[in-house]
Amino acid sequence: GVNPGLSLKDEVKTAVRAALDSGYRHIDTAYSYKNEDAIGEELQEYLKNGKVKREDLFIVTKLGLIHMEPKQVRRSIEMSLKKLQLDYVDLYLIHLPVTLEYDGDDENLFPLTEDGKWKTAEKSDLLQTWKALEELVDLGLTKSIGVSNFNISQVERICKIAKHKPVINQVECNIYWPQNELFEACKKLGVTITSYASFGSPGRPGEYKEAEEPKPMEDPIIQRIAKKHGKTTAQVLLRNLLQREMIVIPKSVSPERILTNIQVCMRHKNKFQNDLTNKPAFI
């Protein structure tokens, strides 16, 4: 997959065009990325021109943190669908197991306290939020549902009460954070791991970084493997995760990198991806 993330609108549109032209069909976004409208414009252009069919696409978006209250969930996905210019998404995720206080402003995505910290809601209930997502499946607004950034305990709690089980847990995963324990626990529950930040997170804001945070792309072992096989370091990092039977959604707005990333995905037969989406992924 490919993820334009919080990039500028023109960059997002360029990235989506490059992805679709390269063969990507799985696009991952989120309400909080503020790029759904740009993605929707490009999707419509390709759909109207007959370059792709809707049934060939696998579109993923995520619930806003300010919309975690069950009564807000349907309204949130409907806002996302309007921006994406779609009748449904293929997968809808709870973005984080965190509920931020909703002040009535749908653009105030990350409300802050006076000391600059996220302003969390006084009350939250992940299980009730999950039940609200299940209603979206029944309404046909999404084909499937899942979670993101959930730990083992949280995934287990959801699975115990689920009418529609989560199909995905999307988490940060790379050579320095392999998520082995989470991967095995989710596998037993029938939940597949999707890896984001597969190359680390060089674009992560400074306040969320460790002082000497290692960079997977600069790892000497990875560099030696890449040189030996005539590949890029990014391709080696992606291949490692694919061979563990994970879905990968590397973030990029560079057409060149988008193309080299998919060259790994297209050659690797990832069983889950073939079975569930049969589509190369782009975030």
Side-chain angles (χ1 to χ4, degrees):
V2 166
N3 182 354
L6 295 170
S7 306
L8 298 175
K9 185 173 182 177
D10 287 344
E11 285 185 335
V12 170
K13 296 178 76 170
T14 297
V16 172
R17 287 195 298 271
L20 293 174
D21 290 343
S22 298
Y24 288 90
R25 294 296 179 264
H26 173 171
I27 298 179
D28 183 290
T29 182
Y31 182 87
S32 297
Y33 294 166
K34 300 184 73 172
N35 64 13
E36 292 172 317
D37 56 344
I39 291 171
E41 289 174 18
E42 289 305 310
L43 289 179
Q44 282 306 305
E45 179 181 332
Y46 275 68
L47 288 167
K48 289 178 180 178
N49 291 338
K51 294 181 180 179
V52 296
K53 297 179 180 178
R54 176 63 186 94
E55 58 267 28
D56 293 332
L57 296 172
F58 193 85
I59 310 300
V60 184
T61 193
K62 308 177 191 75
L63 178 66
L65 304 185
I66 56 174
H67 297 148
M68 289 282 284
E69 190 177 350
K71 67 180 182 182
Q72 297 286 353
V73 170
R74 178 174 176 178
R75 195 174 69 86
S76 190
I77 194 175
E78 287 176 341
M79 286 190 286
S80 290
L81 290 172
K82 184 176 181 180
K83 293 174 184 175
L84 290 166
Q85 301 184 50
L86 298 173
D87 295 326
Y88 67 91
V89 290
D90 298 275
L91 176 62
Y92 195 57
L93 305 178
I94 296 179
H95 201 158
L96 279 168
V98 175
T99 303
L100 298 185
E101 185 173 294
Y102 177 59
D103 61 5
D105 182 0
D106 293 311
E107 297 301 314
N108 187 15
L109 303 178
F110 303 101
L112 302 175
T113 61
E114 292 183 359
D115 58 357
K117 297 179 180 179
W118 280 2
K119 190 174 185 179
T120 56
E122 292 184 4
K123 295 181 179 180
S124 64
D125 188 333
L126 284 177
L127 300 186
Q128 291 303 313
T129 300
W130 183 257
K131 290 180 179 180
L133 260 72
E134 291 180 323
E135 292 179 6
L136 303 181
V137 178
D138 297 335
L139 291 168
L141 298 177
T142 181
K143 297 290 186 181
S144 55
I145 49 180
V147 297
S148 181
N149 301 298
F150 274 46
N151 62 31
I152 294 172
S153 174
Q154 291 163 337
V155 176
E156 288 177 339
R157 286 172 57 205
I158 294 291
C159 287
K160 283 181 180 178
I161 61 94
K163 171 185 175 183
H164 300 295
K165 287 184 64 176
V167 296
I168 288 290
N169 186 13
Q170 186 181 120
V171 296
E172 180 171 351
C173 184
N174 53 61
I175 58 169
Y176 296 134
W177 196 354
Q179 300 281 14
N180 293 327
E181 187 177 355
L182 178 65
F183 176 79
E184 291 301 327
C186 285
K187 187 175 182 179
K188 290 178 181 178
L189 294 167
V191 179
T192 295
I193 294 290
T194 294
S195 161
Y196 71 81
S198 307
F199 309 140
S201 296
R204 180 185 290 145
E207 61 268 28
Y208 299 114
K209 282 186 178 181
E210 296 180 10
E212 299 295 329
E213 189 170 296
K215 300 176 181 178
M217 298 279 278
E218 298 177 7
D219 185 276
I221 295 176
I222 298 298
Q223 291 179 337
R224 285 200 300 271
I225 293 171
K227 184 177 181 180
K228 178 181 178 180
H229 294 280
K231 303 296 181 181
T232 67
T233 52
Q235 288 176 322
V236 173
L237 292 169
L238 292 178
R239 180 75 181 204
N240 170 61
L241 295 167
L242 287 169
Q243 288 184 181
R244 293 180 62 197
E245 298 189 352
M246 292 185 185
I247 294 174
V248 293
I249 46 174
K251 177 181 176 181
S252 181
V253 293
S254 164
E256 181 179 325
R257 295 193 190 102
I258 287 169
L259 180 58
T260 57
N261 289 344
I262 199 176
Q263 289 170 350
V264 178
C265 297
M266 292 292 278
R267 290 171 183 156
H268 185 87
K269 300 299 183 181
N270 181 288
K271 183 179 185 301
F272 175 82
Q273 209 165 333
N274 287 343
D275 290 349
L276 180 64
T277 71
N278 198 29
K279 303 164 180 68
F282 171 87
I283 177 174

